Amino acid sequence: AQTVTQSQPEMSVQEAETVTLSCTYDTSESDYYLFWYKQPPSRQMILVIRQEAYKQQNATENRFSVNFQKAAKSFSLKISDSQLGDAAMYFCAYRSLGTGNQFYFGTGTSLTVIP
Amino acid sequence: KAGVTQTPRYLIKTRGQQVTLSCSPISGHRSVSWYQQTPGQGLQFLFEYFSETQRNKGNFPGRFSGRQFSNSRSEMNVSTLELGDSALYLCASSLGPVAKNIQYFGAGTRLSVL
């Protein structure tokens, strides 16, 4: 079964600075999707960014970008110009393209933004 | 467009009881997935429904069941509640079960079992 590992339970960043959240995964598949979701105190999970494994180019969404290293099975999230509203729990997730393509989530990284 | 709606937001039950949670997907979405979120285990997949059929099931005991109605609304039922069932239960909807479809999550139902 696929596993997703987030080795940083907690991270903090100064407002306006840059922070990188780490994620590694284990799979024998060649095609899959990777996601970063954000869960603020309101509890609603919000999609931050999505990466298709067959695409070499790293995905970006405004201040959010990923460093996708397929061979290393690494998928880190970089948040630039951090804002107070970025404070939340961040989850890395994997989803295969095959049948039974359920999501596998990491255990999350709690991000604190210091004013 | 309204988001994914889960009711109720909070629920308190005692051991041995059963509970039903409800999820209304985004209009037009036909796939609904359920997850259990606990501090120790993180987010774990329960099951996914598409067009009223269960497509996939996670590794949970048979006490956990679900169904989907013709309007895509879904319910999840947990029978004979145990203390360990205390968790945040999240529902997510998407256009369909294809992996590329983005899942949109509801705010969850917080279940406390006493």
Side-chain angles (χ1 to χ4, degrees):
Chain A
Q2 286 77 5
T3 57
V4 179
T5 302
Q6 293 178 250
S7 59
Q8 306 154 315
E10 298 178 348
M11 292 280 286
S12 62
V13 61
Q14 290 285 143
E15 194 175 3
E17 295 296 308
T18 296
V19 65
T20 298
L21 309 184
S22 301
C23 173
T24 59
Y25 57 95
D26 185 27
T27 184
S28 58
E29 298 173 331
S30 58
D31 288 328
Y32 45 86
Y33 284 85
L34 295 165
F35 305 81
W36 278 99
Y37 276 90
K38 166 186 176 181
Q39 187 179 40
S42 67
R43 306 182 332 202
Q44 188 148 15
M45 299 272 281
I46 302 163
L47 177 67
V48 175
I49 201 164
R50 177 180 65 170
Q51 174 79 42
E52 298 165 87
Y54 63 87
K55 287 189 176 179
Q56 299 289 332
Q57 189 172 5
N58 289 325
T60 62
E61 284 288 341
N62 301 313
R63 297 182 295 107
F64 299 88
S65 62
V66 298
N67 183 5
F68 173 48
Q69 302 289 327
K70 191 173 183 179
K73 297 178 183 174
S74 171
F75 183 60
S76 60
L77 174 70
K78 185 172 83 171
I79 306 174
S80 304
D81 185 26
S82 296
Q83 300 174 0
L84 295 178
D86 294 333
M89 184 71 85
Y90 286 81
F91 291 93
C92 177
Y94 170 103
R95 192 176 195 189
S96 68
L97 271 65
T99 56
N101 53 1
Q102 68 187 69
F103 271 88
Y104 295 89
F105 284 87
T107 51
T109 296
S110 178
L111 179 66
T112 300
V113 180
I114 303 166
Chain B
K1 207 182 248 189
V4 178
T5 303
Q6 291 188 247
T7 55
R9 291 293 305 274
Y10 301 91
L11 209 48
I12 299 175
K13 292 286 186 179
T14 56
R15 279 185 301 173
Q17 287 187 309
Q18 76 166 20
V19 66
T20 299
L21 312 181
S22 180
C23 172
S24 293
I26 291 172
S27 178
H29 285 193
R30 296 170 61 197
S31 180
V32 173
S33 297
W34 288 89
Y35 297 86
Q36 181 194 65
Q37 185 177 15
T38 58
Q41 299 294 321
L43 272 146
Q44 292 188 287
F45 172 76
L46 280 156
F47 26 65
E48 179 182 23
Y49 286 88
F50 175 70
S51 294
E52 302 177 66
T53 301
Q54 188 180 88
R55 285 193 73 249
N56 199 6
K57 190 178 193 303
N59 189 24
F60 278 82
R63 300 185 298 106
F64 291 81
S65 63
R67 59 178 175 169
Q68 186 180 35
F69 302 95
S70 58
N71 62 357
S72 295
R73 189 178 71 86
S74 178
E75 287 183 347
M76 190 192 94
N77 184 274
V78 187
S79 62
T80 320
L81 283 166
E82 301 177 358
L83 295 179
D85 297 333
S86 294
L88 178 66
Y89 290 88
L90 293 169
C91 164
S93 78
S94 62
L95 286 170
V98 177
K100 70 176 182 179
N101 288 328
I102 295 171
Q103 289 201 337
Y104 295 86
F105 284 80
T109 294
R110 172 78 66 187
L111 172 65
S112 297
V113 182
L114 306 178

